[in-house]
Amino acid sequence: MKKSTIGVSASAAARKAAMVGFGLLAGALAAFLGPAAVLAEEGGDPSTCGAEPLAIPNKKGDFDGDGHTDILWRHYQTGANTIWLMDGIAMRQSVSLDPVSTYWFAVGVDDFDGDGWQDILWRDFSTGANSIWFMNRTVLCSAAPSSPVSDYVWQIDGTGDFNGDSKADIVWRNYQTGANTVWLMDGAVRLGSIALQPVEYTGWQIEGSADFDFDGQTDLFWRNYGTGENTVWLMEGTVLRSEIHLPTLVLDGSSLNFVGAVGDYNGDGEADIVWRSFTTGANTAWLLKGANLLLAAPMSPVGELNWAMAGPR
């Protein structure tokens, strides 16, 4: 395995929780994660649950199967959830999902059961519980608990198919030791785990997992919020093959740009990065070709700063 060139920075282990506030409103923890229908703005159709899987799986983050990567939003004060159905970087429709207690964080959007539709991975940082919503388009068909992890220093930082079984796996990072591991999954069931190369400097955070070089493999996007450096691990399964370095984006008081979503937003088969400013509400897409920034394109702003992008990442 190649040795990573990721270097030293100040610790930022709690950045993900801090950006939206870790001790927000409490609520009931059981009812909302049971099987239920989700009502879209024009009406969800629960009869789609149990339909035949897609012949050709959707790209990561594509909820409605139109070939465009969408964006999941979560309001961390009210628990509201919304999907932006996208046409490239333009929002063409907004669909509301059921609200969820703010103890729960949406930490992944991917296809966990291999039916071609995008599902939603949830984590409760107060208890260590993990759960998956199995979706059909924007309809919640069922929900299932996954293995709990009570040690809060382990965070879910990405999802993707790392073993080629067409079902999403889960990337974990330990923000105390720098250890990284992949849970190999079959739906909500953990089959086993594979250790990735550790990165002991916990100022480096995994901010997304997607295919950055159009080779069909899930790669890992790393960001150092102390220095503004951005790096991608190009992977071969769970093995680091090489690294590419993206442009630096310094986190300053005027922009406070955080990674909101990672996915293919211009349809070229390679991952792009969507940034969200938690000072202005501006959203910007970095359209990438490998390590090259082709265009920084503005997207529809969201001035209500308690709305955070929850994926895909």
Side-chain angles (χ1 to χ4, degrees), residues 9-302:
S9 75
S11 175
R15 199 282 306 167
K16 287 185 178 64
M19 79 175 185
V20 291
F22 197 77
L24 296 173
L25 299 177
L29 297 180
F32 54 76
L33 283 178
V38 173
L39 299 179
E41 287 187 350
E42 76 275 28
D45 182 6
S47 68
T48 61
C49 296
E52 287 296 318
L54 285 177
I56 302 176
N58 287 348
K59 65 167 63 176
K60 182 174 179 177
D62 178 9
F63 279 93
D64 59 347
D66 68 348
H68 296 287
T69 304
D70 305 314
I71 299 175
L72 174 65
W73 289 84
R74 178 144 171 75
H75 195 291
Y76 282 98
Q77 282 194 337
T78 66
N81 303 293
T82 293
I83 296 172
W84 274 12
L85 300 178
M86 305 294 290
D87 183 0
I89 60 171
M91 190 270 284
R92 83 181 151 73
Q93 184 182 356
S94 177
V95 177
S96 297
L97 305 182
D98 280 342
V100 174
S101 161
T102 54
Y103 274 129
W104 289 86
F105 282 63
V107 291
V109 172
D110 216 321
D111 179 12
F112 285 91
D113 56 359
D115 67 351
W117 299 109
Q118 298 298 290
D119 308 310
I120 302 174
L121 174 62
W122 298 88
R123 179 157 170 76
D124 181 344
F125 285 95
S126 67
T127 67
N130 302 300
S131 185
I132 296 175
W133 277 8
F134 295 105
M135 309 288 290
N136 188 300
R137 299 174 176 84
T138 57
V139 176
L140 170 60
C141 295
S142 65
S146 191
S147 301
V149 176
S150 58
D151 189 346
Y152 71 91
V153 300
W154 283 101
Q155 292 191 25
I156 295 173
D157 277 358
T159 62
D161 179 13
F162 286 89
N163 61 351
D165 66 353
S166 300
K167 297 180 181 180
D169 307 306
I170 302 174
V171 181
W172 292 82
R173 176 152 169 76
N174 187 310
Y175 281 92
Q176 188 171 77
T177 67
N180 305 299
T181 192
V182 173
W183 278 11
L184 302 178
M185 304 293 293
D186 182 5
V189 178
R190 175 188 172 188
L191 300 178
S193 60
I194 297 177
L196 301 179
Q197 181 171 307
V199 176
E200 61 184 281
Y201 305 113
T202 54
W204 282 99
Q205 301 182 44
I206 303 172
E207 286 286 14
S209 48
D211 185 359
F212 278 83
D213 59 351
F214 200 33
D215 67 348
Q217 302 284 328
T218 300
D219 306 312
L220 299 178
F221 169 49
W222 293 81
R223 175 155 170 77
N224 184 323
Y225 279 92
T227 65
E229 295 171 277
N230 301 296
T231 293
V232 175
W233 280 9
L234 300 178
M235 306 294 291
E236 185 74 38
T238 56
V239 177
L240 170 60
R241 176 167 50 86
S242 62
E243 293 184 14
I244 58 175
H245 302 283
L246 307 183
T248 296
L249 181 64
V250 176
L251 187 68
D252 60 47
S254 63
S255 63
L256 286 180
N257 283 304
F258 290 92
V259 177
V262 176
D264 178 16
Y265 285 93
N266 63 352
D268 66 354
E270 300 186 22
D272 308 302
I273 300 170
V274 179
W275 302 87
R276 174 148 173 77
S277 169
F278 281 93
T279 53
T280 67
N283 303 302
T284 302
W286 272 15
L287 303 180
L288 298 163
K289 190 70 173 176
N292 298 314
L293 175 59
L294 303 179
L295 178 67
M299 301 172 67
S300 298
V302 176

